[in-house]
Amino acid sequence: MDSSPRELFEPECSEGEVILAIKPTQRDPNRATVRVGSPHLTAKGTARRGRVVVTLYRSAIESLGLRVGDAWHEGLAEQLAAAGDDDKAFRAASNRLARRAMSAGMIRDKLRQLGHGPETCERVLERLDKLGLLDDAAYGRALIRETTRGKPAGERLLRQKLFAKRLDSALIDRLLAEHHAERELHAHETGEDPDADAIAFAVKRAANMPRLKPDARRSRLSGQLARRGFGPD
């Protein structure tokens, strides 16, 4: 179970504390822990080990300009707490994207469910986008292909599917227009009826209704086509 965003941090400050160490983790050398404490020696003449306040990617530590010996103060503690939130949210998002494709809206919803604030969510989404890990247009096109594979699907059903995956309404309009244009082009090049898939679907289903009267058959077929997202026309 995911822990709360602030669980890993100890932002409290004591007078005279400094950053004692910045050391790579054993599990991932690209990440490092920041240890804070008193620089004074103990009674046995050894340096105090201090406490770990955050674990971050080394690139994030470098961008923050952290150095061993830097004074530990409230402003720095808050800055590292925010960086830690971003780091935890980024890892939660990237782990989910490694398992399956998701839209930016789906990632945003999941991060908010985990307790991350709006600003953290937007920074993480921007980072994922820069890394090429998010592509809502490609995700939407793949969803359209999956939905129309094997069965016809009208615009209404496709719009519902895309909206359920938290895609932006303007992008949905663009993807549906693109899909419609592709179907029209295919029909023009092959000479097929643009509604050939829907017609084939209706013919196949009608074959299973030999005993129904024409009006009843028409009504049932209309309902089945409507459930696949086709309008009355």
Side-chain angles (χ1 to χ4, degrees), residues 42-65:
T42 66
K44 296 182 179 180
T46 58
R48 296 182 185 277
R49 294 186 68 246
R51 65 190 186 282
V52 173
V53 293
V54 72
T55 301
L56 298 171
Y57 283 101
R58 299 182 69 176
S59 59
I61 291 174
E62 292 172 2
S63 67
L64 290 168

Side-chain angles (χ1 to χ4, degrees), residues 157-168:
L157 176 61
L158 293 176
R159 186 177 294 278
Q160 290 173 349
K161 293 275 188 180
L162 294 168
F163 182 78
K165 296 302 183 180
R166 304 290 284 113
L167 293 180
D168 177 75

Side-chain angles (χ1 to χ4, degrees), residues 8-9 22-25 27-34 54-67 80 83-95 98 124 127-128 131 133:
L8 302 180
F9 315 122
I22 301 175
K23 292 186 177 181
T25 64
R27 178 178 294 183
D28 184 353
N30 292 315
R31 293 174 59 77
T33 58
V34 178
V54 72
T55 301
L56 298 171
Y57 283 101
R58 299 182 69 176
S59 59
I61 291 174
E62 292 172 2
S63 67
L64 290 168
L66 301 182
R67 297 290 185 272
L80 285 186
D85 280 352
D86 287 1
D87 179 80
K88 185 175 177 64
F90 175 79
R91 287 185 293 124
S94 56
N95 286 341
V124 168
R127 182 178 176 187
L128 291 171
L131 291 173
L133 298 177

Side-chain angles (χ1 to χ4, degrees), residues 15 37-38 46 66 96 124 134 139 184 194:
E15 186 175 354
S38 171
T46 58
L66 301 182
R96 283 166 173 77
V124 168
L134 282 178
Y139 179 79
E184 291 290 331

Side-chain angles (χ1 to χ4, degrees), residues 48-132:
R48 296 182 185 277
R49 294 186 68 246
R51 65 190 186 282
V52 173
V53 293
V54 72
T55 301
L56 298 171
Y57 283 101
R58 299 182 69 176
S59 59
I61 291 174
E62 292 172 2
S63 67
L64 290 168
L66 301 182
R67 297 290 185 272
V68 172
D70 286 351
W72 181 243
H73 52 83
E74 185 176 348
L76 182 56
E78 292 178 355
Q79 189 177 17
L80 285 186
D85 280 352
D86 287 1
D87 179 80
K88 185 175 177 64
F90 175 79
R91 287 185 293 124
S94 56
N95 286 341
R96 283 166 173 77
L97 287 170
R99 294 194 293 267
R100 65 186 178 97
M102 299 176 71
S103 69
M106 293 168 68
I107 290 292
R108 182 183 291 107
D109 288 348
K110 175 53 66 175
L111 292 181
R112 288 178 176 174
Q113 290 173 12
L114 294 175
H116 297 285
E119 293 182 357
T120 295
C121 293
E122 296 312 310
R123 285 194 295 267
V124 168
L125 290 174
E126 182 179 356
R127 182 178 176 187
L128 291 171
D129 183 59
K130 287 181 178 179
L131 291 173

